[in-house]
């Protein structure tokens, strides 16, 4: 990824989902990837099924999608 080579420091923050906090149900995970000044450069989100999130938790199959600030997909990776 060319965009990553332009930055010496990156930090990944998991974004809290209010529904998950209130109900305890597993929701699709989202992340914000920022540079050293805290400016968001990429966003990542999980693509997985509701049932697998509830019953398989951390062992669930999923796809991670990474998009830039304009919403253009830069990576799609199975995990």
């Amino acid at each position: 990824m060319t965009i990553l080579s332009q930055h010496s420091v990156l930090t990944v923050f998991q974004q809290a989902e209010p529904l998950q906090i209130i109900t305890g149900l597993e929701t699709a995970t989202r992340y914000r990837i920022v540079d050293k000044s805290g400016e968001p450069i990429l966003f990542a989100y999980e693509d997985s099924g509701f049932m697998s999130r509830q019953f398989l938790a951390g062992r669930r199959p999923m796809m991670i999608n990474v998009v830039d600030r304009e919403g253009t997909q830069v990576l799609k990776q199975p995990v």
Side-chain angles (χ1 to χ4, degrees):
M1 256 189 213
T2 306
I3 193 166
L4 297 180
S5 64
Q6 300 170 7
H7 302 278
S8 60
V9 176
L10 294 174
T11 306
V12 179
F13 293 100
Q14 182 175 346
Q15 297 178 312
E17 295 292 333
L19 179 65
Q20 185 171 349
I21 294 168
I22 293 169
T23 65
L25 292 174
E26 281 285 328
T27 58
T29 308
R30 297 183 310 153
Y31 303 92
R32 185 170 40 99
I33 303 160
V34 301
D35 63 15
K36 65 181 174 183
S37 66
E39 185 70 27
I41 58 168
L42 295 169
F43 301 91
Y45 60 94
E46 168 188 348
D47 185 9
S48 64
F50 175 79
M51 297 303 275
S52 67
R53 285 194 305 272
Q54 303 317 305
F55 295 108
L56 299 176
R59 298 180 315 275
R60 66 186 176 263
M62 70 178 92
M63 186 72 67
I64 294 292
N65 298 284
V66 180
V67 297
D68 63 16
R69 288 185 287 204
E70 290 77 38
T72 303
Q73 188 172 55
V74 295
L75 178 69
K76 185 172 187 170
Q77 181 70 40
V79 179

